[in-house]
């Protein structure tokens, strides 16, 4: 949509300009300035702190510090730019020491998880809107239990009279209804498992009596409903889970950065 | 639910509160209780109602009445006024965000603990925090012993004050660093290349900074010499030199107008060329004649004269040995002053010796006779001297001719001859040398000077250039005068030493910053 | 046993009487009193006889001295007739907001803003008990299952404010009822035996229609009190001087359309599919002679066009918008090539409108307009074309699906609807958390609601143009914020009667059981939980605008005026 493209049109040129300017400064000053690594390091640290501040900002929604949308855009483009800063700070050479390799790896993981996260955040909502029925994540367990209760009542409850359905439920459906299923299938946008289940259900249905057929049709509907819930759970959970990497590693990275700072200062200028 | 896209129905009469950290443990069964857990995750459920005590007028005891919202329950409150339907306590469930927070705290704690452990352990620490291999020199046992003799520790602490310390020591050292962590302005303000504390450590073993220019600013060792970059310490980079030499302002102050970025682009022409220097040597030598002269005799082996006949590399192959008369000239240029006596030769090297030799000619002849014709010494000597006297006249005349004759000028008669296919016979010192008359009867020969290196500020290694013909750089075939300096200009070097030529063109290829290294031993 | 199929017909207005307790005797008594005794029952049509109007659309109230009948700023859909006793209207100065059950929302100061740092763990909707007991000179009593609020210190009020007594036979509140304008003044009972007849707008409209005296009376006061100022604020008339504006006001006709309210039957109708354009009462029918310009004063109307089988909706217009100007301006300039109305205008539910007759337009209004403000002529090609003209092309930008969706659900009522772009929303609930953080740890909306075409209208208060929730609040707790007009609830005076929550057709108001500061649910003497109505207040007390919108990281959520499609079409950016 247009309004989002507008952000792209301001963010990308800014990023490019910043990158070019940084490249120019790097060519001019790298190697010649002894404090260069310190300066790039501090700029990098400042950028990382601003990036981390987005997490803090989110916890203070009551302060009138502008819109989160703006801050996310800043977070994104500054994030990309921080990768450039990081490479400049590294002088485009891979680190060699154990600690520095771990530090760089942490940075890479944080950046990569961020990129994955924004990709997921842009791609998955479209899918959520088209399938499964809109549902609030926290309500899914309760809805799933409701589904299961209905299905059990239908298949093995006191009112059900069909042994066939009961058998089929116990063998094929009980496990399906018991807990979230097919996380990866749903994430891969594949309906194969539920299609297989529904096919089996149809097979039973074909040979069943009129009453059985009605019950099985209802059961199929419940299967679809449960599948929709699973789908939403998978996708919504993925939209949340990437942050489980991004945020903890960010703070871990800051701890490592603190030691890096102490080491750099303690070991470089400290021989006096 | 009819279409797979319609939202499942659920209780929309209550707010969903994902902001709360804990959810009721019964919520996943769809039976969340009204009160819900508190902010610390404690279940607050009590009972379905709180009965109210009703006392009718006149009654003393009163009656407990059920106040359940869904309508009074059948059983009614217990006699003591408590509800008969307690809500089973649940184990409140933390939300995903709580888990995320826990993981975050966990990662922070784990990282901190790990780092403390690793930096606290004396052996693991150094392996862990070492940012890269130390150069071979600085990790050798020789280094350790020298550091110890110079009063420093033999390990990381030889250079780093925090080297041998635990986490607290590192932090302390970091806080004491100058410029300090918060003195960011210093990083920008302080002159570039400002010496750091680390230099003190370097200077313990390395003698004072020997700069190629006394005016060069004091620069930290680490500007050019980066340690922990591998087993071999890399040479200084062009940027390091360019820091001054590519900076026109600095160079203006230093009154060196040339601003140099790269050898190929803006390195000035070599000084001997720009200053149009000439070889000051007084020895007359015609390279062209020797290399191309039609009348040049062959060497004893039958080969023609070439560069290598006279110019031979030294032991390292970097430079050429000086040309020596005895080794290279004498083979053709004999010192035989008496055309009839080939056995007797003038001494070379000192005018005084020559004078003395000539003044004691009879003795020389006598010695020769004693060696060759011991029977008839006197006659032999008389005969020889008479022969000389016949051509020269007197001893003084002979000495004058020996010193001052050349093949083209000098006293009218030559004492020797140059023609013929045989070795040249001595034509007189002045043939090659500059001979000056001094006190009567004495001559002074200006000692020849062979300038060893014309490019005084640069290194050159002939051994690395063996693939190149000598003539490609040294245009000897066309040089007739001694004054010619037979070195190529910059352009000849640039042919190869440039990005286009593909051969390295870093400053450090030719130039050395410091004076020859001195290792100070206290 | 087969149950008879339930056929949901459009409900008759009188399916549910306004006052079920009204007896035949009461009606007889009413028919014998003024002004009903002067009305001609024969003038009323058979379908809506006078007696039935009174029986079904009227309600008897008895007030004691000091009890508030209507509050300044309230919205109401009914008028009052004093049968017995006296009432008093407060003229100047206005009663302070506290006496009206309101509190002027104050933006949080620095301390209250910062206090939200450490209030995160407070139980939701917790109140200090002392805060709830504070009452500003108001008392309450329950009468006839209704809560009456009375002014405790009446003498002081009478002393400090200029008031005027109204006595039996006086009408009040009729303009607010018909035009959905806020009540202009506060009126309270002045005798212990005040008896008032409340007539809802449908009844009032019918009474006006068939009784000349009442119509003249209401028209007169309408013109006197409300019309001139409204017309003056209308851009169309801004070039007129006072004298000519008075002539326009004199000629303006007004009408109220529609059968049902938002609050009552609408939802049921919509769900039963009974709401169809063809069935809605037509204000203007396509092809009619343009006899006047329609100014929509309140409510909403649908602009539609005939197609092969039926009608298709092109747009809807809300309060303040004008219909038919282009046709009339065309005819005025192109007298030899007149056009008829090109579209139909149909009332959606309750609609109140003004009609400026063509003659007045041509004589007074159109000559005053500069040429560039006149709408374009109808080119001959466009008259025969199937495509809608550009100003209605918003429909194409928004898309038929969303337009139908908004119309079906009446979402165009919202001035600050929460619209979520589902293609962009990551369901992160940042909006909900932000709302909770700024509102006593209780999110004031549900991030869920009807959706279509990739957008969702979340279950949050839309701050309706026509806030039916405000009709019938006994304590005045729900009110429009005086400056920007947000609909807010004063939790201190809210008595948890649910009338607003039941009135809201969008389920945007929720009753929440409140707690004390230790997290214990508060109960009354009967041990019943105390509830308060809560809803979105558009962060009227916070700095920086609605927290939900500000906190959306992906720009997926916005608060938007859906009265017009411009904002939506811009936002969708298609």
């Amino acid at each position: 949509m247009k309004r989002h493209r507008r952000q792209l049109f301001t963010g990308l040129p800014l990023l490019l300009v910043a990158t070019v300017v940084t490249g120019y400064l790097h060519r001019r000053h790298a190697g010649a300035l002894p404090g260069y690594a310190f300066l790039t390091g501090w700029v990098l640290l400042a950028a990382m702190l601003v990036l981390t501040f987005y997490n803090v900002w989110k916890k203070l929604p009551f302060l009138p510090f502008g819109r989160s949308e703006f801050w996310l855009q800043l977070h994104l483009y500054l994030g990309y730019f921080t990768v450039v800063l990081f490479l400049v700070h590294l002088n485009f050479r891979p680190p060699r020491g154990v600690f520095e390799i771990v530090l760089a790896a942490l940075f890479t993981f944080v950046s990569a998880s961020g990129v994955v996260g924004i990709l997921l955040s842009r791609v998955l909502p479209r899918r959520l809107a088209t399938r499964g029925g809109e549902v609030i994540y926290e309500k899914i367990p309760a809805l799933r239990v409701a589904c299961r209760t209905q299905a059990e009542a239908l298949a093995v409850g006191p009112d059900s009279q069909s042994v066939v359905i009961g058998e089929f439920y116990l063998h094929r459906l009980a496990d399906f209804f018991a807990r979230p299923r097919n996380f990866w299938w749903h994430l891969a946008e594949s309906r194969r498992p539920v299609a297989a289940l529904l096919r089996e259900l149809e097979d039973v249905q074909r040979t069943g009596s009129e009453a059985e057929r009605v019950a099985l049709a209802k059961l199929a509907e419940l299967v679809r409903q449960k599948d929709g819930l699973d789908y939403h759970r998978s996708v919504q959970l993925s939209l949340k889970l990437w942050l489980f990497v991004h945020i903890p590693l960010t703070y871990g990275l800051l701890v490592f950065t603190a030691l890096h700072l102490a080491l750099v200062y303690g070991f470089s200028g400290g021989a006096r | 639910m009819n279409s797979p896209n319609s939202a499942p129905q659920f209780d929309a009469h209550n707010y969903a509160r994902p902001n709360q950290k804990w959810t009721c443990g019964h919520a996943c069964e769809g039976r969340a209780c009204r009160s819900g857990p508190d902010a610390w995750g404690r279940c607050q459920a009590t009972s379905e109602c709180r009965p109210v005590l009703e006392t009718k007028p006149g009654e003393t005891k009163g009656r407990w009445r059920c106040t359940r919202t869904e309508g009074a329950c059948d059983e009614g409150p217990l006699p003591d006024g408590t509800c008969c339907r307690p809500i089973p306590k649940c184990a409140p469930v933390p939300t995903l965000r709580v888990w995320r927070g826990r993981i975050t705290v966990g990662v922070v704690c784990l990282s901190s603990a790990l780092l403390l452990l690793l930096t606290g352990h004396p052996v693991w620490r150094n392996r862990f925090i070492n940012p890269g291999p130390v150069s071979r020199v600085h990790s050798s046992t020789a280094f350790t012993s020298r550091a110890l003799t110079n009063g420093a520790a033999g390990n990381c602490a030889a250079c780093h004050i925090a080297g041998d310390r635990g986490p607290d020591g590192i932090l302390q050292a970091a806080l004491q660093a100058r410029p300090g962590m918060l003195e960011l302005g210093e990083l920008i303000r302080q002159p570039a290349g400002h010496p750091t504390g680390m230099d003190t450590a370097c200077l313990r073993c390395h003698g004072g900074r020997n700069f190629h220019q006394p005016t060069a600013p004091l620069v930290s060792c680490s500007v050019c010499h980066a340690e922990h970059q591998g087993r071999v310490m890399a040479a200084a980079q062009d940027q390091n030199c360019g820091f001054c030499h590519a900076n026109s302002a600095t160079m203006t102050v230093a009154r060196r107008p040339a601003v140099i970025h790269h050898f190929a682009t803006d390195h000035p022409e070599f000084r001997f060329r720009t200053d149009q220097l000439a070889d000051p040597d007084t020895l007359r030598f015609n390279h062209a004649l020797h290399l191309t002269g039609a009348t040049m005799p062959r060497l004893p082996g039958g080969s023609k004269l070439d560069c290598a006949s006279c110019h031979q590399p030294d032991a390292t192959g970097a430079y050429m040995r000086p040309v020596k008369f005895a080794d290279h000239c004498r083979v053709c240029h004999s010192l035989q002053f008496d055309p009839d006596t080939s056995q007797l030769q003038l001494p070379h090297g000192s005018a005084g010796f020559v004078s003395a030799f000539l003044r004691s000619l009879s003795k020389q002849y006598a010695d020769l006779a004693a060696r060759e014709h011991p029977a008839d010494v006197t006659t032999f000597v008389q005969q020889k001297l008479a022969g000389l006297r016949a051509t020269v006249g007197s001893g003084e005349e002979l000495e004058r001719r020996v010193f001052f004759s050349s093949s083209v000028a000098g006293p009218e008669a030559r004492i020797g001859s140059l023609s013929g296919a045989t070795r040249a016979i001595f034509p007189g010192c002045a043939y090659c040398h500059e001979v000056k008359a001094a006190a009567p009867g004495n001559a002074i020969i200006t000692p020849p000077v062979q300038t060893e290196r014309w490019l005084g500020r640069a290194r050159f290694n002939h051994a690395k250039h063996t693939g190149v013909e000598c003539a490609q750089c040294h245009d000897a075939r066309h040089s007739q005068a001694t004054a010619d300096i037979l070195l190529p200009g910059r352009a000849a070097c640039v042919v190869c030493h440039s990005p286009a030529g593909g051969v390295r063109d870093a400053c450090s290829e030719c130039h050395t910053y410091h004076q020859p290294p001195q290792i100070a031993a206290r | 046993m087969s149950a008879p199929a339930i056929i949901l017909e459009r409900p008759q207005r009188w399916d549910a009487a306004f006052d079920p307790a009204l007896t035949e005797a009461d009606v007889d008594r009413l028919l014998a009193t003024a002004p009903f005794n002067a009305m001609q029952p024969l003038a009323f049509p058979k379908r809506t006889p006078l007696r039935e109007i009174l029986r079904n659309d009227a309600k008897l109230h008895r007030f004691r001295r000091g009890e508030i009948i209507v509050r300044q700023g309230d919205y109401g859909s009914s008028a009052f007739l004093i049968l017995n006793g006296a009432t008093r209207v407060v003229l100047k100065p206005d009663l302070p907001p506290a006496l009206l059950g309101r509190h002027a929302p104050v933006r949080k100061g620095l301390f209250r803003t910062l206090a939200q740092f450490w209030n995160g763990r407070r139980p939701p909707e917790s109140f200090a008990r002392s805060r709830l007991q504070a009452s500003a000179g108001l008392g309450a009593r329950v009468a006839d299952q209704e809560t009456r609020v009375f002014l405790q210190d009446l003498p002081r009020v009478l002393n400090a404010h200029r008031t005027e007594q109204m006595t039996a036979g006086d009408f009040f509140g009729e303009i607010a009822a018909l035009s959905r304008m806020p009540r202009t003044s506060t009126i309270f009972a002045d005798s212990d035996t005040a008896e008032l007849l409340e007539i809802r707008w449908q009844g009032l409209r019918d009474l006006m229609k068939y009784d000349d005296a009442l119509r003249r009376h209401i028209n007169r006061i309408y013109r006197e009190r409300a019309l001139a100022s409204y017309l003056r604020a209308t851009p169309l008339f801004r070039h007129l001087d006072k004298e000519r504006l008075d002539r326009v006001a004199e000629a303006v006709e007004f009408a109220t359309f529609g059968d049902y309210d938002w609050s009552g039957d609408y939802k049921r109708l919509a769900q039963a599919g009974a709401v169809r354009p063809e069935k809605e009462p037509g204000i203007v029918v396509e092809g009619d002679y343009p006899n006047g310009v329609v100014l929509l004063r309140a409510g909403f109307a649908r602009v539609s066009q005939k197609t092969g089988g039926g009608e298709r909706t092109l747009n809807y217009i809300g309060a303040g918008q004008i219909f038919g100007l282009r046709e009339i301006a065309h005819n005025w300039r192109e007298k030899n090539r007149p056009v008829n109305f090109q579209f139909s205008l149909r009332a959606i539910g309750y609609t109140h409108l003004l009609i400026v007759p063509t003659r007045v337009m041509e004589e007074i209004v159109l000559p005053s307009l500069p040429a560039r403000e006149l709408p374009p002529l109808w080119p001959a090609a466009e008259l025969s074309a199937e495509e809608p003209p550009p100003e209605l092309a918003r429909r194409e930008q928004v898309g038929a699906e969303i337009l139908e969706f908004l119309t079906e659900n009446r979402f165009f009522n919202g001035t600050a609807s929460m619209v979520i772009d589902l293609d962009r929303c990551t369901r992160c609930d940042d909006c909900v958390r932000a709302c909770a953080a700024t509102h006593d740890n209780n999110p004031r909306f549900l991030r869920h609601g009807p959706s279509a075409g990739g957008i969702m209208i979340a279950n949050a208060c839309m701050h309706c143009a026509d806030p039916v929730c405000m009709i019938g609040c006994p304590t005045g707790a729900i009110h429009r914020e005086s400056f920007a007009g947000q609909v807010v609830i004063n939790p201190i005076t809210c008595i948890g009667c649910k009338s607003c929550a039941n009135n809201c057709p969008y389920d945007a108001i929720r009753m929440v059981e409140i707690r004390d500061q230790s997290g214990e649910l508060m109960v009354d003497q009967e041990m019943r939980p105390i509830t308060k109505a809560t809803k979105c207040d558009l962060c009227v007390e916070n700095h920086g605008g609605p927290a939900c919108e500000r906190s959306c990281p992906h720009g997926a959520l916005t608060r938007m005026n859906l009265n017009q499609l411009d904002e939506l079409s811009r936002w969708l950016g298609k």
Side-chain angles (χ1 to χ4, degrees), chain C residues 286 305-306 312 342-343 379-389:
Chain C
E286 184 179 340
Q305 190 179 37
K306 280 194 188 112
R312 64 170 175 180
Q342 295 297 307
F343 309 105
E382 210 172 294
L383 286 174
S384 55
E386 281 291 300
E387 285 311 301

Side-chain angles (χ1 to χ4, degrees), chain C residues 177-179 201 205 208-209 254-258 347 350-353:
Chain C
L178 290 176
S179 66
W201 66 269
R205 181 190 56 182
M208 270 175 71
K209 202 186 285 178
F254 38 87
T256 302
F257 277 86
Y350 162 87
T351 310
H352 181 70
L353 41 88

Side-chain angles (χ1 to χ4, degrees), chain C residues 88-150:
Chain C
R88 217 163 247 288
V89 53
V90 181
L91 298 174
K92 283 269 172 189
D94 298 333
L95 287 180
L99 272 187
L100 299 178
R102 296 166 187 157
H103 76 124
V106 215
R107 287 216 186 271
K108 287 173 184 162
L110 183 67
F111 180 75
R112 274 181 69 203
T113 301
L114 294 181
Q116 293 170 116
F117 278 114
W118 56 83
N119 282 348
R121 278 179 182 264
R122 272 211 195 149
E125 294 293 344
S126 59
F127 288 82
R129 284 181 187 270
S130 58
R131 226 182 118 206
L132 285 181
Q133 280 152 8
S135 73
L138 286 173
R141 122 189 129 86
V142 177
D144 304 340
Q145 296 168 338
E146 281 180 19
T147 307
R148 297 277 159 76
V149 174
F150 57 88

Side-chain angles (χ1 to χ4, degrees), chain C residues 430-452:
Chain C
D430 273 359
C431 47
V432 185
R433 264 188 298 279
C435 186
T438 45
H439 294 93
D440 298 326
N441 291 327
N442 181 38
R444 300 292 183 82
F445 70 97
L446 194 57
R447 189 186 53 72
H448 196 82
S451 62

Side-chain angles (χ1 to χ4, degrees), chain B residues 132-492:
Chain B
V134 182
S135 67
R136 205 174 282 125
V137 184
H138 287 152
S139 54
S140 62
T141 47
F143 171 75
T144 309
S145 59
R146 185 172 289 278
L148 287 171
T149 44
N150 286 347
N155 49 20
C156 305
C159 302
H160 303 286
I161 194 164
D164 210 16
R165 302 193 189 170
D168 52 332
I170 293 173
L171 190 65
Q172 210 178 357
L175 293 175
Q176 286 165 356
R178 288 289 168 270
M181 281 201 225
L182 295 176
E183 296 167 317
L184 281 186
E186 286 292 302
L187 281 180
I188 302 164
R189 259 198 312 279
Q190 74 176 7
H194 192 69
T196 68
M198 186 65 68
D199 296 340
T200 349
C202 304
L203 293 176
R204 281 214 189 93
C205 299
H206 298 277
R209 302 172 174 87
N210 298 305
F211 297 120
H212 68 162
Q213 284 291 333
T215 53
L218 207 60
V219 168
S220 167
C221 309
S222 59
V223 172
C224 305
H225 306 291
E227 183 50 284
H228 289 284
Q229 300 293 325
R231 300 294 281 159
V232 178
M233 242 170 133
Q237 303 292 304
D238 280 7
Q239 296 110 303
N240 300 139
C241 308
F243 186 69
C244 289
H245 284 275
N247 185 331
S248 60
T250 312
M251 295 321 286
T252 313
V253 171
R255 292 197 295 277
R256 298 292 294 264
V259 173
I260 309 171
H261 295 92
H262 300 287
F263 178 62
T265 54
D266 47 8
H267 188 285
E269 182 54 281
F270 302 141
R271 284 286 286 284
F272 76 90
R273 285 218 161 183
T274 53
D275 294 358
Q276 295 183 322
L277 294 188
D279 193 334
D281 196 1
T282 49
L283 194 82
R284 275 186 289 277
F285 185 79
N286 186 336
H287 274 97
L289 179 68
H290 281 79
L291 290 170
T292 58
T295 57
M296 272 301 120
R298 302 239 161 190
L299 288 175
S303 59
K304 282 183 75 176
L305 264 182
D306 58 7
C307 305
S309 309
C310 304
H311 300 288
Q312 274 146 12
D314 63 10
T316 62
Y319 294 108
M320 292 297 159
R321 285 207 181 93
V323 177
K324 276 189 180 160
F325 176 81
D327 299 342
H328 307 111
C329 310
R330 191 173 197 151
V331 87
C332 298
H333 295 275
S334 89
L335 295 171
Q336 176 191 353
F337 61 97
D338 181 357
D340 306 324
T341 320
S342 63
Q343 298 93 323
L344 206 60
Q345 310 239 328
L346 288 170
H348 192 261
S350 164
F353 285 175
V354 175
S355 291
F357 181 86
L358 288 177
R359 286 173 197 173
S360 58
L361 257 186
S362 52
K363 175 79 171 72
Q364 301 301 334
Y365 280 118
D367 286 353
L368 179 67
R371 284 201 299 276
E372 306 231 332
H373 310 285
D376 192 14
V377 172
T378 320
T379 325
F380 180 78
V381 170
Q382 295 290 331
Q383 206 178 337
K384 289 291 177 191
L385 287 176
L388 273 177
R389 227 171 263 128
T391 37
V392 180
S394 69
E396 288 78 33
E397 179 60 16
L398 176 68
E399 199 174 326
R400 209 166 62 86
R401 284 192 184 188
V402 162
F403 278 120
F404 295 102
S405 282
S406 72
S407 62
V408 287
E412 50 278 24
R414 292 179 295 190
I415 57 161
S417 150
L418 282 170
S419 55
T422 57
R423 292 173 64 195
I425 292 173
F426 182 64
C429 293
Y431 181 67
C432 296
H433 292 287
E434 182 188 62
V435 189
K436 289 177 186 157
N442 278 339
I444 292 177
I445 294 179
T446 314
V449 186
Q450 286 188 54
T451 306
E452 265 184 46
R453 288 167 61 182
W454 283 105
L455 301 172
R457 298 236 182 269
R459 263 194 321 268
F460 184 84
N461 192 342
H462 279 101
K464 289 192 178 168
H465 293 80
T466 45
V468 183
E469 285 287 326
C470 304
Q472 221 165 315
C473 299
H474 305 287
D475 189 19
R477 298 171 80 86
H478 300 100
S479 163
Q480 297 183 328
T482 308
D484 295 344
I485 299 173
L486 296 183
L487 283 186
R490 185 180 70 99

Side-chain angles (χ1 to χ4, degrees), chain A residues 34 42 96-97 99 130 145 267 270-271, chain B residues 5 128 131 160-161 193 197-198 229:
Chain A
W42 279 109
R96 301 178 72 166
F99 171 68
T130 51
V145 169
F267 277 75
Chain B
N5 288 332
F128 180 58
H160 303 286
I161 194 164
M198 186 65 68
Q229 300 293 325

